[in-house]
Amino acid sequence: QKEVEQNSGPLSVPEGAIASLNCTYSDRGSQSFFWYRQYSGKSPELIMSIYSNGDKEDGRFTAQLNKASQYVSLLIRDSQPSDSATYLCAAPPSGNTGKLIFGQGTTLQVKP
Amino acid sequence: DVKVTQSSRYLVKRTGEKVFLECVQDMDHENMFWYRQDPGLGLRLIYFSYDVKMKEKGDIPEGYSVSREKKERFSLILESASTNQTSMYLCASSQPRGYGYTFGSGTRLTVV
């Protein structure tokens, strides 16, 4: 069973701090990784994708990928209360039919 | 912007009714997906489709069927609605490989 695992949280950080969200995956054949943000009662929204080892930065968000360790992370700098949401990690299984496997999500709370 | 439109935001149906959930995407995506999302259970794949008239079962297809007569439209059918099908239903679409999904806004279905 191919899996994507996340700590469900909640992860609580003060406003202005760095939030670090982590994800591990079991399928070494996965080649691309995605982070989605989901506000309560809303649908998931794609915020970051990463395909190569290393870091990818987009504004206050940085995705980090380490394929050897099968580990993906999302860093949110200068966290704002508006970042409070559930963050879902996703990866396609090898064979890559276009289907994604989602983690359970980590709930982030940013306290003013 | 890719748009995935789900026909209803909220729906209330009676037990035993046949229910149709409609999803339309406007970016010529090959792949379309139906998920349900329940607290503590994460996103669970019901059915997906790689092409017109093609469909494959996901993890929880029991009690559901789908139809894809046109590339842009993917319908989820609850043959005989039951209370345990009360959930948030999410439609998504994507390009064939290596791309993330775009989700619709979701349909919150209540079966009474």
Side-chain angles (χ1 to χ4, degrees), chain B residues 17-35:
Chain B
E17 276 194 79
K18 191 168 187 176
V19 181
F20 293 86
L21 302 183
E22 304 288 344
C23 177
V24 177
Q25 51 95 4
D26 65 0
M27 285 299 290
D28 203 34
H29 282 175
E30 281 80 5
N31 296 344
M32 296 189 76
F33 307 85
W34 275 105
Y35 285 84

Side-chain angles (χ1 to χ4, degrees), chain A residues 42-90:
Chain A
K42 303 293 186 182
S43 62
E45 173 194 11
L46 181 64
I47 55 171
M48 289 288 282
S49 57
I50 187 165
Y51 304 91
S52 304
N53 275 330
D55 295 359
K56 178 182 177 183
E57 189 174 316
D58 184 0
R60 295 186 296 111
F61 298 96
T62 298
Q64 299 176 318
L65 173 59
N66 184 327
K67 290 186 178 180
S69 300
Q70 296 176 247
Y71 180 90
V72 190
S73 64
L74 180 70
L75 301 178
I76 306 174
R77 289 183 300 282
D78 189 24
S79 295
Q80 301 297 310
S82 59
D83 295 324
S84 298
T86 296
Y87 290 80
L88 300 167
C89 175

Side-chain angles (χ1 to χ4, degrees), chain B residues 37-60:
Chain B
Q37 187 175 35
D38 301 287
L41 296 177
L43 284 164
R44 293 185 290 168
L45 181 62
I46 305 171
Y47 267 98
F48 57 105
S49 169
Y50 297 130
D51 202 350
V52 175
K53 296 191 186 294
M54 294 184 67
K55 59 187 179 185
E56 290 197 29
K57 293 179 180 179
D59 300 320
I60 52 162

Side-chain angles (χ1 to χ4, degrees), chain A residues 1 32 34 36 38 41-46 51 88 92 95-104, chain B residues 9 31 33 35 37 40-43 45 48 50 88 90 94 96-101 103-105:
Chain A
Q1 175 82 355
S32 50
F34 306 93
Y36 287 81
Q38 186 175 23
K42 303 293 186 182
S43 62
E45 173 194 11
L46 181 64
Y51 304 91
L88 300 167
N96 201 357
T97 55
K99 190 170 61 169
L100 292 178
I101 298 172
F102 286 86
Q104 292 282 331
Chain B
R9 187 77 180 92
N31 296 344
F33 307 85
Y35 285 84
Q37 187 175 35
L41 296 177
L43 284 164
L45 181 62
F48 57 105
Y50 297 130
M88 169 71 97
L90 292 163
S94 75
R97 289 186 174 85
Y99 295 90
Y101 296 170
F103 282 90
S105 56

